[in-house]
Amino acid sequence: MENFNGLSMLPEDCTVKILAFTSPLDVCRISLVSKSLHSAAESDSIWEKSLPSDYQSIIAASPRPIPDFPSKKDLFVYLCHNPLFIDAGRKSFSLEKWTGKKCYFLGARDLQITWSDTPQYWKWTSLPESRFPEVTELIHVWWLDIRGIIRAGMLSPRTSYTAYLVYKLEDEYGFIYRPSEVSVGISGVEVDTRLAFLVPEGRPQQHDRFEEAETGESDDDYEVFTPPSDVDMEDASSVMQSDIQRPKLRDDGWFQIELGEFFTENEDDCIEMSMKEVKDCVSHKEGLIVEGIEIRPRIG
C-alpha cells in the first residue's frame, strides 16, 4: 500500500535529502512499502550519513581488510553483522543495525582484571566460540575486580549506552554467597552501584575442586548449598529478596549481566565500567570465563 504519494512526487534529489534525516530502519521501511521511493532509499548519500563520520579511519585501523562494496548500504550492512577487530585485536567495532550507532566490545585483554597476569589466579586461553583470540579463566581468587574504560569520544555522540559483562561459567564455585557490585560512570566521579549475581537463578552450587584436590575425595558434581558460617542468614534473606540482577543467556551461548547505563555528552569523558566483589568476601571463587565488556546503544 502506498502511503508516501506526496514524497514520491518530489524530485529524487529532494527525496534523498529528506530521507537522510531519518534512521536506517525508516529508510528500509520506506524502501519496502513504496516502490517509487526504492531508488532514492538506495542512494549512497543516505547511507553515507548513516555511517559514523570516522568510519574510514576505523576500517583502516583494522588488521583484517574488508571487501570492496558497490554501495554504502552494503558497507553499512556488513559493519552491522561483521565486527571489526581494532587496537591489535583487543577491541571489536560494529554498528547497531536499527540506528547506525557505534558498538564496541572490549575484549578481556583490554580490561583491568586484578591478578590476571598471575597464573595461579587466572589462565589466558582461547575458545572457538569467542570472537577474540584470547579469553581469561578464573582459577582461584577471593577478591574479584574487573574494570573496563572507554573514552566517550569513541562512541556515537549524545547517545544512551548500556554496558554488559559477557562471560561463561564452567565448574564455577563461590558466586552464590554474596552478589557482586556493578557500576558504570565517569572515571574519577563517584557513582551509584547495583548488585548482581553472576550465577543464573536456580543453578546448583558446583563442588569445590580445590578442596577435592587437597583431600583426594571425589563427591557428586554438585553439592547442596550451605552458606559459610559467618554469613548472617537474615541478612542473606533480605539480600535475596531485594532488586538484584541475574544474568541473561545470549544467542551466542555466553551470559551477560548489565553493568549500567551512561550518556555520551562530553567526548573527553572516560567511562569506567566495573564488576567487583571485594567487601566481606566469604568464599574463594573459580570457574568464571571472561570474554569482555560489550557497549551497545540503549534501544527504546
Side-chain angles (χ1 to χ4, degrees):
M1 187 171 95
E2 296 283 340
N3 292 320
F4 302 93
N5 291 333
L7 191 59
S8 62
M9 293 174 64
L10 295 174
E12 185 171 310
D13 60 337
C14 292
T15 304
V16 167
K17 291 180 180 178
I18 294 171
L19 294 181
F21 288 98
T22 65
S23 69
L25 176 60
D26 291 331
V27 173
C28 289
R29 284 174 172 169
I30 291 171
S31 175
L32 290 174
V33 301
S34 176
K35 294 180 180 178
S36 60
L37 295 176
H38 180 79
S39 176
E42 297 289 311
S43 169
D44 273 356
S45 300
I46 292 175
W47 291 99
E48 178 87 28
K49 290 196 173 182
S50 295
L51 294 166
S53 59
D54 57 347
Y55 77 91
Q56 291 179 327
S57 61
I58 294 173
I59 292 173
S62 176
R64 297 180 182 176
I66 68 171
D68 291 328
F69 294 102
S71 70
K72 290 296 190 292
K73 179 183 178 181
D74 290 338
L75 174 60
F76 178 89
V77 172
Y78 180 87
L79 293 176
C80 289
H81 298 284
N82 299 273
L84 301 181
F85 285 120
I86 59 172
D87 196 11
R90 298 163 70 96
K91 297 183 181 75
S92 74
F93 162 84
S94 62
L95 296 179
E96 201 285 314
K97 63 181 179 180
W98 303 126
T99 63
K101 301 289 188 180
K102 294 178 178 178
C103 304
Y104 279 94
F105 201 139
L106 313 185
R109 277 292 186 189
D110 205 47
L111 304 181
Q112 300 171 14
I113 304 176
T114 302
W115 298 312
S116 62
D117 290 325
T118 306
Q120 63 262 40
Y121 298 136
W122 291 88
K123 178 178 72 174
W124 290 95
T125 186
S126 60
L127 290 179
E129 61 267 34
S130 174
R131 72 175 67 189
F132 292 103
E134 282 187 303
V135 297
T136 187
E137 179 181 357
L138 174 57
I139 303 300
H140 182 85
V141 298
W142 285 75
W143 205 45
L144 187 62
D145 192 350
I146 301 174
R147 299 171 186 269
I149 296 178
I150 190 168
R151 193 173 66 86
M154 292 182 62
L155 301 163
S156 297
R158 302 196 62 79
T159 300
S160 295
Y161 278 92
T162 306
Y164 302 88
L165 179 71
V166 181
Y167 62 96
K168 280 183 178 288
L169 297 168
E170 185 172 304
D171 297 330
E172 76 281 355
Y173 184 84
F175 291 100
I176 67 172
Y177 300 126
R178 285 205 172 104
S180 301
E181 294 182 352
V182 297
S183 64
V184 171
I186 300 173
S187 183
V189 178
E190 186 174 352
V191 297
D192 294 331
T193 60
R194 297 185 297 168
L195 299 177
F197 278 111
L198 298 187
V199 178
E201 191 168 8
R203 186 176 174 117
Q205 168 75 10
Q206 285 280 66
H207 188 69
D208 184 353
R209 57 185 172 182
F210 276 85
E211 180 181 344
E212 182 177 301
E214 291 175 359
T215 62
E217 298 177 355
S218 179
D219 294 331
D220 294 335
D221 287 339
Y222 297 105
E223 60 182 6
V224 176
F225 165 46
T226 303
S229 58
D230 65 333
V231 175
D232 188 299
M233 290 305 295
E234 184 175 344
D235 289 345
S237 177
S238 63
V239 168
M240 293 296 289
Q241 294 174 12
S242 63
D243 185 19
I244 301 178
Q245 290 191 83
R246 289 282 183 174
K248 294 181 180 179
L249 184 62
R250 297 156 51 104
D251 291 340
D252 59 9
W254 294 78
F255 287 116
Q256 69 176 31
I257 195 81
E258 182 180 318
L259 302 178
E261 299 179 351
F262 63 95
F263 184 74
T264 52
E265 190 166 14
N266 185 343
E267 66 176 18
D268 293 325
D269 288 340
C270 287
I271 308 300
E272 182 171 317
M273 302 150 286
S274 168
M275 190 283 291
K276 60 184 179 180
E277 187 182 332
V278 297
K279 297 179 181 177
D280 303 322
C281 296
V282 297
S283 172
H284 70 266
K285 287 162 279 291
E286 58 191 65
L288 172 69
I289 302 174
V290 178
E291 184 176 35
I293 293 178
E294 187 172 31
I295 304 160
R296 305 196 302 261
R298 185 167 63 85
I299 305 299

